[in-house]
């Protein structure tokens, strides 16, 4: 079933225009903002045939709410479910590069999941995989933090994560988990082929069974005094290094 809602801010609206312009019902813009960034958005929207409305800023303020930083642009969108049901749908969808997955083992904070989806979108991840139990799903907070990425990156919730990792391995995907005490480090590990990067929950890291079903474990080199990173920050570092290697390779 489709769900109508709003996106606000340049990043979220531009991302939706690039990824799925047909889902935008209309874009409302601050009639008094005429800078280059707004002109670029207007040109893109007009090229995509999206309806535009110039309105008073006070109307945008009311739509976005007291905590919404709309930057003078709001889009009304209709979301439709992403047509991927499981990992095999992704693997058989005719990807233009080796499969690239992010696996999250029990992330419970919706802000972290939203941030992970956002960086997954930015780094070209083909799907984010997570367990159904003891983990947050795609709720309203996740979608807001993700800034549109929840609608562009397939999110696959699985009943048995260890079994899913084995299925990925059977399909030729190399499964790499992250752990603070891992024998290898991220930067010296090859990340260019079919790949699933597995990150653990906040504080506890990977569960034992999850770690045992990884082909290898790597650590993120740390150069300061802190001993651990937020899972969304760690995801960003790992995915960026993988994307860097894949682009060079």
């Amino acid at each position: 079933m489709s769900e109508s809602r709003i996106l606000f801010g340049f990043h979220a609206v531009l991302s939706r225009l690039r990824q799925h312009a047909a889902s935008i019902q209309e874009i409302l813009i601050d009639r008094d903002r005429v800078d280059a960034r707004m002109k670029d958005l207007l040109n893109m929207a007009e090229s995509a045939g999206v309806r535009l409305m110039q309105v008073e800023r006070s109307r945008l303020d009311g739509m976005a709410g007291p905590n919404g930083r709309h930057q003078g642009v709001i889009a009304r969108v209709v979301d439709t479910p992403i047509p991927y049901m499981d990992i095999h749908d992704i693997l058989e969808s005719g990807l233009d590069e080796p499969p690239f997955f992010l696996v999250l083992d029990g992330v419970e904070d919706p802000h972290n999941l939203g941030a992970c989806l956002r960086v997954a979108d930015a780094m070209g991840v083909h799907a984010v995989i997570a367990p159904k139990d003891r983990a947050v799903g795609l709720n309203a907070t996740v979608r807001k933090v993700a800034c549109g990425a929840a609608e562009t990156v397939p999110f696959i919730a699985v009943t048995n994560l260890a079994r899913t990792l084995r299925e990925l391995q059977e399909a030729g995907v190399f499964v790499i988990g992250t752990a603070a005490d891992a024998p290898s480090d991220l930067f010296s590990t090859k990340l260019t082929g079919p790949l699933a990067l597995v990150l653990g929950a906040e504080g506890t890291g990977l569960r034992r069974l999850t770690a045992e079903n990884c082909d290898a474990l790597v650590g993120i080199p740390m150069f300061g005094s802190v001993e651990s990173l937020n899972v969304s920050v760690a995801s960003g570092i790992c995915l960026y290094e993988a994307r860097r290697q894949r682009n060079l390779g």
Side-chain angles (χ1 to χ4, degrees), residues 200-218:
E202 304 86 355
T204 58
L206 296 181
R207 290 177 292 175
R208 179 186 58 81
L209 188 58
T210 302
E212 290 177 353
N213 279 280
C214 291
D215 292 304
L217 296 176
V218 302

Side-chain angles (χ1 to χ4, degrees), residues 49-73:
V50 175
R51 180 187 179 198
L52 291 163
M53 290 182 60
Q54 293 186 330
V55 300
E56 298 293 338
R57 187 175 184 87
S58 58
R59 181 176 176 184
L60 300 178
D61 291 340
M63 292 177 66
N67 298 317
R69 298 181 59 188
H70 56 73
Q71 300 174 297
V73 56

